[in-house]
Amino acid sequence: MNTNFLCPKCRNYLNVGENLVFSTRNRAGKGGLILLHPQLGDYTVVKHPDFEIGKGELIDFFCPFCNKKLVSDRNANLAKVLMLDDKDTEYEIHFSRISGQHSTYKIIGKSVEIFGEDAADYFDFLNTGNF
């Protein structure tokens, strides 16, 4: 399946080859690029070895084009991007901004698919109808 990922602000493409590219900032204010695997539920991360991120640290994700913060409008601990599938159906993708936390949500309308062993951490946001 051919999928594309877009910034929800400027709608530029975030995927290159087998990665999603983000500009990020850690709690110490240090910036770095992070590459994430585009397969939902695959939590492979590639970054520069000197860009330190502690487990459990809240990371700020930014679009590498417009530099807008990609924080979810549904929960401040989640980032948000858009995904287009091979039929150009558009989904919201929300994923944890907390290093080491594996939780991702694929949302279209009232339909939600969940991925990751930590997805239950955000069931309250799903059960309250905030989507």
Side-chain angles (χ1 to χ4, degrees):
M1 177 157 86
N2 183 24
T3 57
N4 284 299
F5 292 84
L6 307 172
C7 170
K9 312 291 185 188
C10 69
R11 298 191 64 88
N12 280 309
Y13 293 104
L14 299 171
N15 52 309
V16 177
E18 293 297 317
N19 293 294
L20 300 178
V21 180
F22 296 100
S23 174
T24 62
R25 189 160 307 281
N26 64 17
R27 288 298 99 195
K30 179 100 173 156
L33 294 177
I34 288 182
L35 308 178
L36 300 180
H37 197 281
Q39 178 67 41
L40 301 180
D42 183 332
Y43 295 97
T44 303
V45 176
V46 178
K47 65 175 188 56
H48 191 280
D50 291 339
F51 180 50
E52 295 181 14
I53 299 172
K55 186 171 172 93
E57 185 174 353
L58 185 68
I59 303 300
D60 290 326
F61 283 79
F62 299 90
C63 172
F65 296 101
C66 69
N67 293 315
K68 298 287 185 188
K69 196 170 183 181
L70 298 176
V71 67
S72 169
D73 52 354
R74 300 173 190 274
N75 187 297
N77 286 340
L78 302 174
K80 175 185 171 184
V81 297
L82 302 176
M83 183 183 88
L84 297 176
D85 68 12
D86 55 352
K87 296 177 182 146
D88 283 337
T89 303
E90 187 173 297
Y91 300 86
E92 291 181 10
I93 304 299
H94 299 258
F95 60 94
S96 179
R97 296 173 47 214
I98 299 172
S99 175
Q101 187 177 64
H102 298 159
S103 44
T104 304
Y105 309 89
K106 178 181 170 185
I107 302 172
I108 187 168
K110 295 285 184 186
S111 174
V112 180
E113 283 183 66
I114 61 172
F115 304 86
E117 62 268 15
D118 300 315
D121 292 355
Y122 297 99
F123 276 162
D124 287 346
F125 120 80
L126 295 172
N127 292 332
T128 61
N130 289 333
F131 60 93

